[in-house]
Structure formats: C-alpha cells, structure tokens
Amino acid sequence: MNYKYIFPVLLFSGSVLFAQAKNDVIVPNENLIAENIPAIPKSLSEKIKKYSESRGANFTAIHPNGQELIMVTRFASTNQLHRLSQPMGARKQLTFFDEPVNGAEYEPTKGEYLIYTKDIGGNEFGQLFKLDLKTMESTMLTDGGRSQNGGITWRKDGSGFYFSSTKRNGGDRDIYFMNPLKPAETKLVLQVKGGGWGINDISEDGKKLIIGEYVSANESHLYLFDTQTQKLEAITNRNDRQIVQGSAKFSKNTDEIWFVTDRDNEFDRLATFNLKTKKINYFTSAIPWEVSNYNLSKDGAKIVFETNESGLNKLYLMDTATKKYEEIKGLPIGLVNNFEFTADGKSLFFSQSTYDSSADIYRLDLATNRIERWTESEQGEMQKSDMSAPKLIEWNSFDNMKITGFYYPVSKKFMGKRPVLINIHGGPEGQSMASSLGSSNYYTNEMGVALIYPNVRGSSGFGKTYLASDNGFNRMNSVKDIGALLDWIAKQPELDKDRIMIMGGSYGGFMTLATAYEYADKIRCSVDIVGISDFNTFLKNTEEYRRDLRRVEYGDERDPKMSAFFTKIAPLNNTDKIKKPMFIIQGTNDPRVPVTEATQMRDKLKAQGNTVWYLEAKNEGHGFRKKENVDFQRLAVIRFMEEYLLK
C-alpha cells in the first residue's frame, strides 16, 4: 500500500470479520497519503452524495461563425472541453484526460482546430496542445518540460499566435511566436526579466502588441511592442509606482487604447490612453466600485464591462463613440465568470452563477435585451431549499477598520447556538464573493454549522488602500481582523463562540495557522490547506517565476529585518502556542506553496504530541482538482468536524 491509514480498534478478531469491516469504510485511493485519519464510514459518503454531485458550465471560446462554442464542464473526474452547438443542446465531449483542461481557443478564421493548455498532476507547467476537430487528434506544441506556456494571442489572419513562456530559464516569462502547423519553427520575439509579463492585445494588422508587466496587485505597466522591428516602447511611465495599469486593448482609433487603472482613484476605472498625447480619459468615475473586467466588440463600437460591487457582479454596455453606458438589466443577482461578444457584435455570451445555482452559459441579444439560456447544469439531488443564502456582514477590527464578509446561516430546522466554520480565502489579494456554497451546503443544512467567509484587509475589491494594508510588516494585522471576527461571533445570539473552526487555503492556510497560535483559546480546531508555515522557507522554495512577485507582496526574505520578522510570525516557530487539533492538506506537486511547507508543520506538531491529521495527494498541486481526491478530502474534513467541532 502507498498510504498510511489508521483504522479504529475493532472489537472482534479474524481476517474475514476485518475484511467485512474494511468494506464498510472509505479507503483512500492509491494517490492519497492519509495519516492519523480515522475510518470514514461508507454511510457518510452516501449521506453527502446529495450535495457532492453538482457541476457547472463555463464557456471558453466562441466559434468564428458565432453559432457554437467550446465549454468546460465535468462528467467524470476532471473538467474537460465540450462543444455546444445550440441552446440547451447536447454537449459533445472533446477531451478525455485524467488531468483537467480548463481553457481553449479556436483557430480564428475557420475554427477547424483548438489550442488548449494542460499540465500534469497540478504542477502548473502547462503545455500547449493542438486539437484537430476533424480527426480529434491532439498534438503537443511546446517542449513538455518544466515550463509554463499560455496567454495565446492569435494574429487576425490565423497564421499563428504569440504566447508567453518560461522555457528559457524557468523564471522569466518571454514572448514567442508560433505557427501551430509548424511548431518546430517557434521563435523567441521578446526576452524579458521577471515572471509577470504577458500579452494584452494585438493590433488588427498584427504589427503591434500591447504587453503588460505585472509587478504586484497594486502595480502594473503597459508597453507597445513592434512585431516587425521587435522594439519595445513604454506606454505608461515605469517610474509610476503603486498604480494599476492593465487589461489594455486597441481602440478603433489607432492613436488610442482602452485600459483599466486605479490612477488618482481608489478603484480601477475604465479609461482611454492617447498614445501620442499621453492623455488619459476616465469613463466610470460615477461608479464607486472597481471595473473588474471588460470586453470590446470586434468592430470596436461597443464595450461590455463588469463591476465588482461588494462581492456581486453587474454588467454594463457602453457605446464607444458617445462613451455613454447603462447597466444591462434582467440578469439574476450573482457572479459573472466570463463574457465575450460574437464576431458580429450583436450578441454576448456569458457565464453566470448565483447562490442557489452553479455557473451556466447564457446568450444576450443586445438589440432586444433577450437572454437565452444555453446550459442548465445539474445540482445533484440538492434543492433550492437546501441551499443557504449569503448575508453581507461587517465588523470593526482592532484599529477601527471596517471588515466585511459573507455569512451563510444554518437551516431553520436547527435550534440553539450553532457552531461556526470560518473559511479564509487565499491570494492574499483574493476575495470571497456571494457565491453558491455547492457541496458545502452539507455543513449548513445537515450538520447545522454556520459558515463565514471574511474579506480581511489585503482582499481585492475594496480599493487600493485596503488592498495594500496588509503588505510587508503589516502582515499580522489581517490575523487581528480574524480576532475581531471571533469577538463579533461572540455577540451573535444564534452562534456558539465556544465551537469555532478555522479553515483556509494557500495564504488562507497561513491565516489559519497563525490564528491557531494567536487565538488558540478561542477556537476548537483548524484545517490548513496548502498553507504557508514560514515565509522564509516558502520564498526560498516557491517556483522561480513566482518568487519576485511574491516578495513585493509579502516582503523580501533577503532583507535581514524582514527575515527576522518572518521568523517571528512563522506558525512553524510558534507551534508551542497551538493547543487545538490541526488537519493539514497538501498536494505533492504544488509549485506555489511547496509540499515542504506542510510536512515541516506536520512533523513539528507531531513531535510535540499535538493532534494532527494529514492528507497529501501525489497527483495534485495547489489544491485538489480530481473528483475522487476532492470527495475524500471533503469526507475527511467532515469527520474532523464531527470529532473536534461538534462535540
């Protein structure tokens, strides 16, 4: 066996009886390393099945004819590509891999083949593949090694595409050109320094690229690249610090580009930049929220842009000639995951989810404002009455800063004070949105556990000051925001302050571990998923293409003062203060938060005699993506909650 699994003591003997008992429990698959996790009865798996079989659908590409699209959904273990040719039509699956495929692009003239990316075991070294839609044959186009390849941008005539890749040295994200019919002739066209470079757009004639340089969540820059002379010119001023300038697209006015920026404002605004005069015009100042995404029609006459308003999305339609815009009415209140014009500019495809539905695909007729549903994803056996609706809550932290989050109450059938699960997002510049709980509705509807998803300082969506307020030496202030949330919970008559579990992934995993030692007397237990246990070791071991980008956010461990600060706050160095049970979950192939962050934390807690459960997936990376692993993780977390939160 390739796993460690501890069964409870059985009050009988004999191999036949043992085998019978073993058949009554869920055994981890061969890719899972499970330590100190007690037996999980099959009856629990059967009970949760009602909640664990839902799926969603997101579109990833529209055919040049505008009449069919490529979508992503899951019917077996992982997300795969499917073709959809009519509203509510049959979905034809195109890829059948063990690894997920979450995106693709059509060849832009005839749509005879797709380009998609796929990695191995969650290692995030995505390779480019060509899928011939006639023969259904896939061909790898890139080197197949330890390189990241993606961000493809087609020439309008379909003669090839530009893409970014770290293949030169593993750390710098250069720009290449490839004709996918002749991949051996791929050329390096722009050599850069750093892992934050990418292509924003290509001009109609293919002679110019807009290149973006991401420095941090608070700073990015734009450049113009001449594909013939291979000369790179700065559009924005590289000396402008702490300003976001990104998501740029060519306007139909050749001297102008569209982009999103927070210059002279708390939130990202949609704006134009005149390439000759350097003048910037802002168009969404009247909306006191960030413009999180936008899309330009092929003829440049229309823009649809999305706002993020306290964790909910709205769509607006703009006439680029008059610059007037208005909200697109009639959409359900929820989250918009993706949107794109058809080639004729008459329709808009988009994916949307709400608190009581998974993501599905819709088509909006812009002339009539008629919305046509293209998919209706299954929710398993869950009914809308089984699903908890989020409530926006707020509390004041130690310094009186207002913090918000989403609170999902338990079903009304539960009486008395209810236990609480606090689930902290990663990033740290992520954001918890008013989304569907999906399978986590089991917690609120079957276990009577309330869920709270906080947006502590450093979260996106609340302005650049809030976004930067946890950087560097201010790191522990975000942990204090959780401390203030614990105080808020204590004041709520329906919540039990003595039964609180903390859970989080990635940076949220660090927050979970830090809360475990800072507020050990106020929590019952913790679940750390791919979390950082020491920023010094994390920055040393994370993949090279990420290292400098993370240093801007967290601090530079090469600075002795910062290194000393990291040593002081590291959960790994504060394990003596952790008193409550801990469950650590990790993917072996994680390129972001290496597996050593988990194992060193596990080993130190075990050496101290702490209660620590451990689950590692040998075929996963930064979080679990394969359904069989996700299902076992969910069951193990429920057992952990039954053992240490509910009692």
Side-chain angles (χ1 to χ4, degrees):
M1 291 290 184
N2 292 323
Y3 52 80
K4 300 175 184 176
Y5 196 73
I6 298 178
F7 289 94
V9 175
L10 300 175
L11 300 179
F12 45 78
S13 60
S15 59
V16 174
L17 288 177
F18 180 80
Q20 183 178 347
K22 188 174 180 179
N23 288 335
D24 292 333
V25 301
I26 302 294
V27 177
N29 66 65
E30 66 275 10
N31 287 304
L32 294 177
I33 302 168
E35 298 178 3
N36 208 34
I37 300 174
I40 300 172
K42 283 189 175 178
S43 58
L44 178 59
S45 177
E46 293 161 1
K47 188 176 180 182
I48 199 176
K49 196 172 183 65
K50 171 181 177 180
Y51 298 87
S52 63
E53 300 306 310
S54 63
R55 60 173 61 88
N58 284 288
F59 84 90
T60 182
I62 303 173
H63 193 281
N65 65 19
Q67 301 304 311
E68 63 182 57
L69 50 81
I70 300 299
M71 55 171 280
V72 174
T73 192
R74 177 196 57 77
F75 276 91
S77 174
T78 58
N79 283 342
Q80 297 295 321
L81 300 178
H82 300 247
R83 180 162 51 194
L84 185 62
S85 300
Q86 62 184 27
M88 305 303 292
R91 295 168 277 195
K92 177 178 174 56
Q93 189 165 340
L94 302 177
T95 57
F96 299 85
F97 300 111
D98 293 335
E99 304 297 340
V101 182
N102 287 311
E105 295 280 349
Y106 273 109
E107 180 280 319
T109 59
K110 297 181 181 179
E112 293 179 344
Y113 59 88
L114 299 173
I115 304 297
Y116 66 89
T117 60
K118 181 171 66 70
D119 71 2
I120 298 174
N123 64 9
E124 298 187 23
F125 293 118
Q127 303 299 315
L128 297 180
F129 295 81
K130 172 179 169 286
L131 174 61
D132 187 309
L133 293 173
K134 291 182 179 178
T135 66
M136 301 309 296
E137 180 182 356
S138 278
T139 306
M140 185 186 293
L141 302 175
T142 44
D143 61 14
R146 290 180 63 83
S147 63
Q148 280 194 332
N149 304 272
I152 74 168
T153 302
W154 278 96
R155 283 180 176 169
K156 310 296 184 185
D157 62 5
S159 61
F161 57 79
Y162 295 90
F163 69 102
S164 60
S165 176
T166 63
K167 70 176 185 176
R168 179 169 56 87
N169 59 16
D172 298 324
R173 201 175 300 275
D174 301 324
I175 307 300
Y176 293 79
F177 176 77
M178 176 192 291
N179 176 351
L181 303 180
K182 300 177 180 179
E185 298 177 9
T186 298
K187 296 178 181 179
L188 171 65
V189 298
L190 177 63
Q191 185 171 306
V192 297
K193 177 66 177 174
W197 295 79
I199 307 163
N200 281 211
D201 198 16
I202 186 169
S203 62
E204 193 67 28
D205 60 9
K207 294 180 180 179
K208 303 282 187 182
L209 296 178
I210 302 176
I211 304 292
E213 180 193 10
Y214 176 93
V215 177
S216 73
N218 288 94
E219 183 179 335
S220 50
H221 303 279
L222 295 171
Y223 302 83
L224 199 63
F225 179 67
D226 189 310
T227 60
Q228 295 177 312
T229 66
Q230 298 195 354
K231 182 180 179 182
L232 186 70
E233 294 182 25
I235 296 175
T236 55
N237 189 340
R238 189 60 176 78
N239 293 321
D240 286 344
R241 304 295 184 184
Q242 302 301 300
I243 298 174
V244 169
Q245 301 161 118
S247 303
K249 298 182 186 296
F250 286 101
S251 166
K252 62 180 179 180
N253 177 350
T254 56
D255 295 331
E256 187 179 71
I257 64 169
W258 290 91
F259 75 127
V260 169
T261 180
D262 64 3
R263 181 184 291 274
D264 301 326
N265 200 54
E266 269 297 312
F267 294 95
D268 292 347
R269 292 181 286 181
L270 185 61
T272 55
F273 186 101
N274 189 292
L275 297 173
K276 288 185 175 180
T277 67
K278 305 292 186 182
K279 183 181 179 182
I280 300 173
N281 288 313
Y282 305 99
F283 301 106
T284 57
S285 301
I287 301 175
W289 297 100
E290 72 172 17
V291 173
S292 51
N293 196 7
Y294 75 97
N295 200 284
L296 191 64
S297 63
K298 187 176 181 179
D299 62 5
K302 293 185 283 289
I303 281 179
V304 167
F305 65 89
E306 173 191 77
T307 58
N308 173 1
E309 305 188 9
S310 271
L312 292 168
N313 295 135
K314 290 183 180 180
L315 288 182
Y316 294 80
L317 179 64
M318 173 188 280
D319 183 311
T320 60
T322 65
K323 305 300 191 291
K324 291 182 179 179
Y325 60 85
E326 54 185 39
E327 183 184 347
I328 297 174
K329 300 292 187 180
L331 302 182
I333 297 174
L335 308 180
V336 179
N337 306 321
N338 194 13
F339 52 94
E340 186 177 336
F341 287 99
T342 52
D344 61 11
K346 294 180 180 179
S347 299
L348 183 83
F349 278 104
F350 65 95
S351 300
Q352 186 179 43
S353 62
T354 64
Y355 83 87
D356 59 2
S357 71
S358 299
D360 271 308
I361 301 168
Y362 302 83
R363 181 171 180 161
L364 171 67
D365 186 305
L366 295 170
T368 65
N369 213 37
R370 177 174 171 266
I371 297 174
E372 182 179 58
R373 187 167 193 155
W374 274 57
T375 64
E376 188 169 5
S377 297
E378 298 84 353
Q379 294 290 299
E381 297 175 14
M382 271 193 296
Q383 304 300 310
K384 291 188 184 296
S385 59
D386 298 324
M387 303 178 194
S388 182
K391 297 180 179 179
L392 183 66
I393 60 172
E394 62 180 59
W395 62 96
N396 290 331
S397 194
F398 70 99
D399 56 357
N400 215 35
M401 180 178 282
K402 185 177 79 171
I403 313 296
T404 65
F406 287 103
Y407 164 37
Y408 292 79
V410 303
S411 169
K412 293 180 180 178
K413 65 187 176 185
F414 292 101
M415 307 299 291
K417 287 181 174 290
R418 304 314 309 166
V420 182
L421 189 167
I422 298 174
N423 197 324
I424 308 170
H425 67 69
E429 62 273 10
Q431 182 184 1
S432 290
M433 309 284 280
S435 60
S436 166
L437 284 180
S439 62
S440 293
N441 279 295
Y442 182 86
Y443 301 142
T444 55
N445 200 49
E446 301 292 342
M447 300 178 72
V449 177
L451 271 62
I452 296 177
Y453 290 79
N455 283 310
V456 296
R457 70 188 69 201
S459 303
S460 61
F462 304 94
K464 61 185 180 184
T465 301
Y466 194 82
L467 184 65
S469 61
D470 68 335
N471 289 0
F473 291 103
N474 294 319
R475 181 62 45 209
M476 295 304 287
N477 288 347
S478 57
V479 180
K480 292 179 182 178
D481 295 340
I482 299 298
L485 175 57
L486 297 175
D487 294 338
W488 180 89
I489 290 171
K491 297 174 184 176
Q492 309 310 307
E494 77 277 19
L495 300 180
D496 189 345
K497 68 178 180 60
D498 296 320
R499 290 190 292 169
I500 297 174
M501 183 175 96
I502 310 294
M503 181 162 67
S506 192
Y507 175 72
F510 162 76
M511 291 286 290
T512 297
L513 295 172
T515 302
Y517 80 74
E518 282 286 339
Y519 301 101
D521 59 334
K522 292 186 175 183
I523 65 170
R524 276 283 188 92
C525 53
S526 306
V527 179
D528 158 38
I529 304 171
V530 297
I532 300 165
S533 57
D534 184 341
F535 283 108
N536 279 316
T537 55
F538 159 72
L539 289 167
K540 177 183 177 182
N541 296 318
T542 193
E543 283 293 331
E544 185 178 351
Y545 60 84
R546 305 186 72 252
R547 192 169 297 124
D548 285 339
L549 300 174
R550 294 295 82 198
R551 282 169 175 156
V552 176
E553 167 68 40
Y554 296 127
D556 193 331
E557 84 288 359
R558 296 168 300 184
D559 176 350
K561 289 184 179 179
M562 183 56 70
S563 180
F565 175 69
F566 286 157
T567 298
K568 178 183 177 182
I569 69 170
L572 186 67
N573 299 327
N574 287 277
T575 54
D576 59 310
K577 301 173 187 173
I578 296 176
K579 307 298 182 184
K580 304 298 172 61
M582 178 74 68
F583 189 176
I584 297 174
I585 300 168
Q586 180 69 40
T588 305
N589 306 318
D590 193 338
R592 304 187 188 199
V593 180
V595 65
T596 49
E597 291 297 303
T599 55
Q600 65 188 10
M601 193 71 190
R602 174 202 63 189
D603 294 346
K604 195 165 183 183
L605 287 171
K606 284 173 64 177
Q608 292 179 179
N610 291 58
T611 297
V612 54
W613 295 16
Y614 184 74
L615 179 64
E616 182 182 325
K618 294 182 287 185
N619 60 344
E620 301 280 12
H622 198 61
F624 293 3
R625 303 182 300 179
K626 297 178 172 67
K627 189 174 188 300
E628 61 272 20
N629 297 336
V630 172
D631 285 347
F632 188 86
Q633 174 185 321
R634 184 188 302 113
L635 291 169
V637 168
I638 291 170
R639 280 291 291 116
F640 187 77
M641 294 168 70
E642 289 175 340
E643 193 72 24
Y644 300 113
L645 178 65
L646 298 187
K647 290 183 178 179

